[in-house]
Amino acid sequence: MTSLSTRCAGVRIAAVGAAVPKGLRAIVEETRYFPTADLQKISESTGVGSRRVVSAATCTSDLCYHAATAVLEKAGWTRDSLDALIFVSQTPDYVLPATACTLQSRLGLSNCVAAFDVNQGCSGYVYGLWVASALMQGGGVDRCLLLVGDTITRAVSPADRSTALLFGDAGTATLLEGDPAAPAMFFQLGTDGLGAENLIIPAGGFRKPMDRELVAERARERVNAACDADLHMDGGEIFTFALKRVPPLITETLTAAGWTADDADYFVFHQANAFMLRHLAKKLKLPPPKVPIALDGFGNTSSASIPLTIVSTLAAQLEGSRRLVLTGFGVGFSWASCAVQTAGLRCAPLVEVDG
Amino acid sequence: MTEADFVGALEEILEVDSGRLKPGTSLADLSEWDSVAVVSFIAVVDERVGVTLNAKSIQGCTTVRDLMGLLGEAIKPA
């Protein structure tokens, strides 16, 4: 066993929605820092032809707010029927208070609501499903709003070849409700903190606080460099990590659920980059139609990528009962996978947000 | 995998003409040996040799021969 294995029963995923900024940026147009030949090569490898980018005035919470509004309407749920709100992000509005608290009032939810933030990225959606379901099993929480998203483009140096052209922004909302008839969800979760340095924003927390010098460095034009206030990513190390951890993770998830790979309808992976996903799918012998790749037009949206992929590529495919394997892996290093049999899962139409 | 297979696979990854690479070729001289190439190399080795190389050990290599050396006995002489 490579991970913690657990399960949650009596919880159904009712609906999923997503919101992205209107701002669409094409990779081949990013010639300010990079030569065209490089842009084309990177774009082909990552599978990102264009991605959605927020302005400096927009936060993850804003995107999640719009996704929540859309999904509540799609499901026909009233705001005061919600018992809990969980916000999963690594780009929150504030260090404190929890962004979930501010969203409670913005969305007009009751005060009798438990609301808190969860700090995870690539594994964040599956972590969110697990935390929400586990809490719901305890009783008292019949309906939960799970908001998951990130605005990573705001954390990246525009001159850093390894990060500037990959990410996109998105916010998503998932509605969970108690349902004794719902099949159990099976979760595998694991962590390796030795990989922490490979995907990190070194400054801005309390280990290395922001200071005047860093602010000035960030504002300066720089070539092929990032300062400690920017996201650092070692693509090679992360690829090695994924090759090592993801195949056994998928195998263990299927075994826990009692499924073969053939039994599963879709394998929705965190959309890290197309090259990596195709390689993993090939290695696991998964037929390409079962492995949606939705990087083009969106980019790598960190925690939002799994639900965004569901909304953007599977909305018409989820009528009736479907067996999904959802797998997130990356920053931390953290990984989490879930086998879930959905029933009549509805998707709200994708929302495009100004700003 | 033979030495010739390895060099050929590397030429394919870097999209350079067949015969351009020799075991003694310095990686620093190859503009095509960038982060995308490194990831492709890890993938090809994983697929064809069943070995998962880590990025650090690749960074320590200066020549094509060094890269071959990472695979040890999996590479047979031409």
Side-chain angles (χ1 to χ4, degrees):
Chain A
M1 290 295 283
T2 65
S3 309
L4 172 74
S5 186
T6 183
R7 65 196 287 271
C8 293
V11 176
R12 178 181 161 261
I13 305 177
V16 182
V20 294
K22 281 202 172 112
L24 187 66
R25 221 184 269 178
I27 297 303
V28 292
E29 280 165 24
E30 306 272 9
T31 52
R32 184 166 177 195
Y33 291 99
F34 310 106
T36 302
D38 281 12
L39 294 172
Q40 276 160 358
K41 188 180 185 188
I42 290 169
S43 174
E44 247 172 64
S45 176
T46 60
V48 179
S50 62
R51 65 232 166 85
R52 302 288 184 142
V53 181
V54 287
S55 72
T58 302
C59 290
T60 305
S61 66
D62 301 318
L63 300 174
C64 285
Y65 172 87
H66 289 287
T69 306
V71 82
L72 286 166
E73 193 183 312
K74 181 76 182 179
W77 287 14
T78 60
R79 275 151 179 67
D80 57 23
S81 69
L82 292 166
D83 303 307
L85 188 166
I86 303 176
F87 178 74
V88 180
S89 181
Q90 295 188 314
T91 48
D93 286 17
Y94 310 107
V95 170
L96 61 96
T99 303
C101 296
T102 66
L103 282 163
Q104 176 274 339
S105 52
R106 285 176 71 181
L107 286 166
L109 308 189
S110 145
N111 294 129
C112 300
V113 157
F116 60 96
D117 290 0
V118 171
N119 183 327
Q120 280 292 7
C122 318
S123 65
Y125 186 65
V126 179
Y127 257 86
L129 287 177
W130 172 55
V131 169
S133 311
L135 292 179
M136 289 169 77
Q137 275 193 144
V141 179
D142 204 51
R143 285 187 165 179
C144 177
L145 175 62
L146 173 64
L147 301 178
V148 182
D150 273 302
T151 51
I152 297 290
T153 67
R154 292 184 62 185
V156 153
S157 162
D160 184 346
R161 200 171 175 274
S162 65
T163 55
L165 308 166
L166 179 63
F167 296 98
D169 304 320
T172 70
T174 299
L175 298 180
L176 294 146
E177 71 176 341
D179 178 358
M185 291 193 254
F186 298 89
F187 294 93
Q188 312 288 125
L189 308 121
T191 311
D192 183 3
L194 291 176
E197 307 283 312
N198 295 309
L199 195 41
I200 186 169
I201 300 174
F206 289 91
R207 187 60 76 190
K208 181 173 182 178
M210 281 295 279
D211 60 24
R212 215 171 287 150
E213 212 178 284
L214 272 170
V215 172
E217 206 184 331
R218 196 149 205 253
R220 273 195 294 271
E221 293 259 327
R222 49 203 186 277
V223 178
N224 201 33
C227 70
D228 279 353
D230 299 313
L231 180 72
H232 292 225
M233 185 172 84
D234 187 329
E237 288 290 347
I238 294 165
F239 189 55
T240 299
F241 151 75
L243 287 182
K244 184 176 160 197
R245 295 288 183 182
V246 175
L249 177 60
I250 297 294
T251 307
E252 286 169 19
T253 305
L254 290 170
T255 303
W259 299 351
T260 64
D262 284 341
D263 292 329
D265 293 303
Y266 296 102
F267 292 83
V268 186
F269 289 98
H270 159 60
Q271 305 284 298
N273 74 71
F275 180 83
M276 184 194 287
L277 291 192
R278 286 194 185 104
H279 184 83
L280 284 169
K282 209 166 159 190
K283 196 173 160 81
L284 287 157
K285 298 183 176 45
L286 305 176
K290 286 193 178 185
V291 184
I293 295 185
L295 280 135
D296 195 17
F298 297 114
N300 171 341
T301 55
S302 183
S303 61
S305 81
I306 291 169
L308 177 61
T309 300
I310 291 172
V311 168
S312 68
T313 68
L314 298 180
Q317 264 80 280
L318 297 173
E319 238 186 88
S321 181
R322 286 287 177 271
R323 289 177 161 181
L324 308 180
V325 176
L326 311 178
T327 308
F329 50 93
V331 58
F333 292 142
S334 173
W335 59 91
S337 186
C338 163
V340 51
Q341 186 163 318
T342 63
L345 171 54
R346 309 173 75 182
C347 292
L350 183 69
V351 180
E352 290 191 302
V353 176
D354 277 316
Chain B
M1 190 182 232
T2 67
E3 266 183 33
D5 289 335
F6 181 90
V7 176
L10 197 53
E11 282 167 345
E12 226 181 279
I13 289 168
L14 299 178
E15 291 176 0
V16 298
D17 294 328
S18 181
R20 161 102 179 271
L21 298 182
K22 307 275 178 280
T25 306
S26 160
L27 296 171
D29 293 339
L30 293 170
S31 61
E32 299 91 345
W33 182 247
D34 59 12
S35 56
V36 173
V38 169
V39 163
S40 302
F41 178 67
I42 295 172
V44 165
V45 167
D46 179 47
E47 193 180 336
R48 291 178 61 172
V49 185
V51 167
T52 308
L53 294 174
N54 70 48
K56 258 186 202 58
S57 59
I58 294 172
Q59 271 155 37
C61 296
T62 48
T63 63
V64 171
R65 186 177 287 115
D66 289 342
L67 288 178
M68 243 188 303
L70 293 176
L71 299 174
E73 279 166 21
I75 304 289
K76 291 144 189 46

